[in-house]
């Protein structure tokens, strides 16, 4: 109960827990994509792009956000962030945005791979390149939505960090300000 309670309530730990999950998934997916039949389907498609972004947004960005929410209060001499509820919003926007973004790319990639290898009875490709691009429209719309959610969370993070540093700065200014306004000679 204690450890789960800590992960549930400590946003730093939550970001890092999600990062570890994405790291494991990306590592497994990379090995899975190296299998020849899977590689022949996924190669040159958005599936590969989705794989990279699951590692980038899911692992790297989440671990960085966790580090930011650990370091900014410590550097500011505070116990926590200025807006704790904003950290919660950032967490859920980042997780939802990453999932929507990555899942849309995985689905787009599988659709592309299947369309590019479909042949008609004459041995010609069943779909033109333009038809495969047009089939991507809903996936790219979802990708845009996921990216917007992730970006909204990032903006909240930046504003929260700024508020945390400014609140600390106003306290530090009164204690660290020199007595004389002119420079020493």
């Amino acid at each position: 109960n204690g450890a789960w309670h800590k992960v549930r309530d400590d946003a730093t730990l939550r970001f890092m827990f999600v990062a570890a999950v994405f790291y494991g998934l990306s590592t497994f997916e990379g090995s899975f994509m190296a299998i020849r039949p899977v590689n022949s389907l996924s190669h040159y498609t958005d599936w590969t792009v989705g794989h990279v972004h699951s590692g980038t947004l899911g692992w790297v960005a989440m671990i960085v956000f966790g580090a930011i929410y650990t370091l900014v209060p410590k550097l500011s001499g505070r116990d926590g962030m200025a807006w704790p509820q904003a950290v919660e919003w950032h967490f859920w926007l980042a997780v939802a945005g990453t999932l929507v973004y990555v899942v849309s790319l995985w689905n787009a990639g599988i659709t592309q791979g299947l369309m590019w290898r479909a042949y008609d009875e004459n041995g010609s490709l069943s779909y033109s390149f333009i038809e495969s691009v047009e089939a991507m429209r809903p996936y790219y719309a979802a990708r845009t939505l996921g990216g917007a959610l992730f970006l909204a969370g990032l903006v909240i993070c930046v504003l929260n960090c700024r508020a945390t540093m400014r609140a600390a700065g106003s306290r530090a200014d009164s204690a660290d300000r020199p007595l004389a306004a002119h420079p020493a000679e």
Side-chain angles (χ1 to χ4, degrees):
N1 184 23
W4 180 249
H5 177 74
K6 182 97 171 124
V7 170
R8 188 187 65 204
D9 293 341
D10 188 341
T12 300
L13 283 179
R14 247 188 307 165
F15 276 102
M16 291 181 180
F17 179 77
V18 168
V21 169
F22 271 102
Y23 175 78
L25 290 172
S26 295
T27 302
F28 171 77
E29 184 185 18
S31 300
F32 181 69
M33 290 174 73
I35 300 169
R36 185 176 298 249
V38 177
N39 187 276
S40 71
L41 177 67
S42 69
H43 205 64
Y44 297 119
T45 69
D46 283 343
W47 183 353
T48 304
V49 179
H51 165 68
V52 171
H53 280 80
S54 72
T56 305
L57 299 178
W59 158 240
V60 177
M62 295 295 183
I63 203 78
V64 167
F65 294 146
I68 286 171
Y69 288 128
T70 300
L71 292 175
V72 167
K74 290 186 187 320
L75 293 172
S76 303
R78 296 176 51 103
D79 293 331
M81 296 297 289
W83 306 331
Q85 194 61 31
V87 177
E88 186 78 12
W89 273 95
H90 178 209
F91 176 77
W92 289 111
L93 286 169
V95 169
T98 300
L99 288 173
V100 169
Y101 194 92
V102 169
V103 169
S104 69
L105 283 168
W106 287 337
N107 286 323
I110 292 169
T111 301
Q112 287 169 332
L114 292 174
M115 288 180 79
W116 294 346
R117 63 169 33 181
Y119 295 96
D120 62 18
E121 61 278 351
N122 297 325
S124 298
L125 289 172
S126 298
Y127 302 100
S128 69
F129 180 74
I130 294 300
E131 288 173 315
S132 72
V133 171
E134 288 171 349
M136 296 300 105
R137 186 172 294 146
Y139 302 118
Y140 288 170
R143 181 181 178 183
T144 302
L145 172 65
L149 292 172
F150 190 89
L151 181 62
L154 181 60
V155 169
I156 289 171
C157 176
V158 168
L159 293 173
N160 197 1
C161 288
R162 182 174 180 215
T164 302
M165 298 297 273
R166 289 184 111 191
S170 64
R171 282 198 315 251
D173 283 348
S174 62
D176 293 336
R177 190 174 317 145
L179 295 176
H182 55 81
E185 297 182 28

